[in-house]
């Protein structure tokens, strides 16, 4: 019994030290579960559900014209490659990057070969729908933006810092696999698009 | 024995709660943000309420000016955004968010004053990471937290609450929101209140 007590005491101390270490981390502490690992190239993306947009042009762009339910999953979008920007209205670098990301979107739209294959969405983590709307209006963002107000999606994606870019394939062996996983800006949109177009057939 | 097991369970639950952040961190601050962990949501008692005159104050700003509340009388609605501390997670993105909505403040003939108990050099370095801010950032450093305390917003640790105060053009407090320090107040709360106050310039 005495031995059990001392083991318990040791466990208590270990847990106390661990919780202190976690709470004092300089970065938002990583959780201990598998699901919150940051997105890794070659790995599948966790299933993400978003609210079905109301606007008909956004629905058409995403290939969701006939969607009837209130939410949809990423796999329902028509694409070869889906580029997801994880952003926040409150993040200075996301604000600074917005014009560059818009340029990338315009380049994709202007390219007849790529416009149907590469789609883009943004997910505002910790942002309300109102806050996402403010960002969209401020920077004239034309690709669909969604709100993740309760950080549910952010947790599934390993609580990445913002901005963060993830691209997934929707075809062949790479179906639902991550092909791009990048923290920070996209750099030159021309070069970024070039590297994306090389992945566009998901081979 | 059972008590000990309960203790272990409680510690484990506490550890899991602490390990889940309530915010998303922006990359621009790189590794500079200090995470104080989960804090007591509110740790002070308000000394003023809506309908009362706001106490006047003069504080030094990062811009080099001295800002007095009375200078805005009959000119602008004033939003005071008290934030607890520079270089902490939630605060480091609250003001950058306000920085892209100057148009909304203009629409309601309002201005924003950011206030922290940090000193000017710290505020200069920290807000410099946010880019150019359109609003004044005031230092309530000395006498330490005097302005925060005059509103009843000084916490026992010496930092202020995360609070929004709206003062109308007559100098009357029209809105007070002391937020959970661990979370950012949604922008729509502020915008809705500005809308109400500008539609009804005098309190009922």
């Amino acid at each position: 019994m005495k031995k059990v007590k001392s083991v318990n005491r040791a466990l208590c101390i270990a847990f106390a030290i661990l919780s202190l270490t976690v709470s004092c981390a300089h970065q938002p502490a990583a959780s201990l579960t598998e699901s919150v690992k940051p997105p890794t190239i070659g790995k599948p993306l966790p299933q993400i559900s978003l609210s079905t947009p109301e606007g008909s042009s956004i629905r058409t762009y995403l290939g969701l014209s006939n969607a009837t339910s209130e939410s949809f999953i990423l796999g329902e979008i028509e694409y070869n490659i889906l580029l997801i920007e994880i952003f926040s209205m409150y993040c200075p670098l996301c604000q600074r990057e917005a014009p560059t990301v818009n340029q990338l979107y315009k380049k994709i739209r202007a390219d007849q070969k790529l416009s149907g294959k590469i789609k883009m969405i943004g997910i505002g983590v910790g942002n309300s729908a109102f806050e996402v709307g403010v960002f969209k209006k401020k920077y004239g963002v034309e690709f669909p933006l969604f709100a993740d107000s309760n950080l549910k999606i952010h947790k599934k994606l390993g609580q990445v810092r913002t901005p963060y870019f993830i691209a997934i394939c929707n075809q062949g062996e790479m179906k639902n696999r991550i092909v791009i996983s990048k923290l920070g800006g996209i750099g030159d949109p021309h070069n970024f698009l070039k590297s994306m177009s090389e992945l566009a057939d998901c081979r | 024995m059972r008590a000990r097991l309960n203790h272990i369970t409680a510690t484990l639950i506490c550890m899991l709660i602490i390990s889940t952040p309530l915010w998303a961190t922006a990359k621009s601050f790189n590794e500079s943000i200090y995470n104080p962990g989960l804090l007591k949501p509110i740790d002070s008692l308000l000394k003023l309420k809506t309908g009362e005159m706001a106490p006047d104050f003069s504080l030094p700003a990062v811009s080099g000016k001295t800002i007095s509340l009375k200078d805005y009388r009959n000119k602008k609605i004033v939003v005071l955004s008290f934030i607890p501390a520079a270089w902490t997670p939630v605060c480091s993105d609250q003001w950058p968010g306000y920085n892209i909505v100057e148009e909304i403040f203009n629409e309601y003939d309002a201005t924003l004053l950011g206030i922290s108990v940090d000193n000017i050099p710290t505020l200069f370095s920290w807000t410099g990471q946010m880019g150019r801010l359109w609003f004044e950032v005031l230092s309530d450093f000395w006498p330490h937290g005097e302005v925060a305390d005059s509103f009843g917003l000084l916490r026992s640790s010496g930092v202020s609450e995360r609070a929004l105060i709206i003062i109308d053009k007559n100098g009357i407090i029209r809105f007070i929101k002391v937020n959970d320090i661990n979370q950012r107040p949604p922008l729509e709360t502020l915008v809705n209140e500005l809308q109400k106050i500008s539609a009804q310039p005098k309190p009922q």
Side-chain angles (χ1 to χ4, degrees), chain B:
Chain B
M1 181 68 189
R2 180 175 281 185
R4 184 59 57 87
L5 275 175
N6 283 344
H7 181 69
I8 293 174
T9 315
T11 315
L12 193 59
I13 290 169
C14 178
M15 189 181 80
L16 286 174
I17 290 170
I18 290 169
S19 68
T20 307
L22 302 166
W23 58 85
T25 309
K27 187 191 176 287
S28 47
F29 290 97
N30 289 318
E31 311 298 319
S32 314
I33 302 299
Y34 176 78
N35 177 6
L38 206 57
L39 302 172
K40 187 178 171 185
I42 293 171
D43 184 34
S44 65
L45 277 177
L46 277 173
K47 293 179 180 173
L48 294 161
K49 53 182 191 289
T50 54
E52 291 181 346
M53 283 298 286
D56 191 33
F57 59 80
S58 289
L59 286 174
V62 172
S63 64
K65 295 179 194 158
T66 297
I67 303 293
S68 299
L69 183 62
K70 65 176 185 321
D71 295 345
Y72 297 95
R73 189 77 53 85
N74 300 317
K75 289 179 190 152
K76 292 260 180 196
I77 294 173
V78 178
V79 176
L80 305 180
S81 167
F82 286 91
I83 56 104
W87 304 109
T88 56
V90 183
C91 310
S92 294
D93 62 20
Q94 188 173 345
W95 287 353
Y98 297 158
N99 201 31
I100 64 165
V101 292
E102 185 181 5
E103 293 90 346
I104 296 179
F105 280 82
N106 289 342
E107 192 183 333
Y108 299 113
D109 210 12
T111 196
L112 172 65
L113 301 177
I115 307 180
S116 159
V117 299
D118 295 286
N119 67 2
I120 291 283
T122 300
L123 287 173
F124 172 83
S125 303
W126 178 58
T127 57
Q129 303 275 314
M130 299 175 187
R132 195 182 160 82
L133 300 181
W134 63 268
F135 52 90
E136 296 284 356
V137 172
L138 315 184
S139 168
D140 188 19
F141 180 67
W142 204 258
H144 189 81
E146 192 178 50
V147 175
D149 192 37
S150 70
F151 284 86
L153 296 170
L154 195 64
R155 293 169 68 96
S156 58
S157 63
V159 301
S160 82
E161 299 288 1
R162 184 180 315 288
L164 289 170
I165 312 276
I166 308 182
I167 298 158
D168 69 16
K169 291 181 184 175
N170 300 312
I172 294 167
I173 300 171
R174 299 287 294 273
F175 176 74
I176 301 176
K177 171 72 183 168
V178 184
N179 216 67
D180 176 345
I181 194 168
N182 304 291
Q183 292 180 24
R184 188 182 53 223
L187 184 64
E188 51 267 46
T189 308
L190 179 58
V191 176
N192 289 343
E193 291 305 322
L194 283 174
Q195 204 168 17
K196 272 191 239 166
I197 294 164
S198 71
Q200 201 173 61
K202 293 221 161 139
Q204 282 180 319

Side-chain angles (χ1 to χ4, degrees), chain A residues 147-195:
Chain A
D148 175 32
S149 55
N150 51 16
L151 295 165
K152 220 167 143 185
I153 297 169
H154 189 233
K155 274 174 204 147
K156 279 191 179 180
L157 297 177
Q159 294 155 348
V160 291
R161 285 190 285 151
T162 53
Y164 202 99
F165 293 87
I166 303 165
I168 48 168
C169 266
N170 200 23
Q171 293 208 337
E173 281 178 20
M174 291 303 277
K175 192 172 168 67
N176 197 38
R177 301 268 164 180
I178 297 164
V179 288
I180 294 174
S181 179
K182 188 184 185 310
L183 173 66
I186 56 168
D188 177 15
H190 178 77
N191 292 342
F192 193 83
L193 179 59
K194 205 173 152 217
S195 59

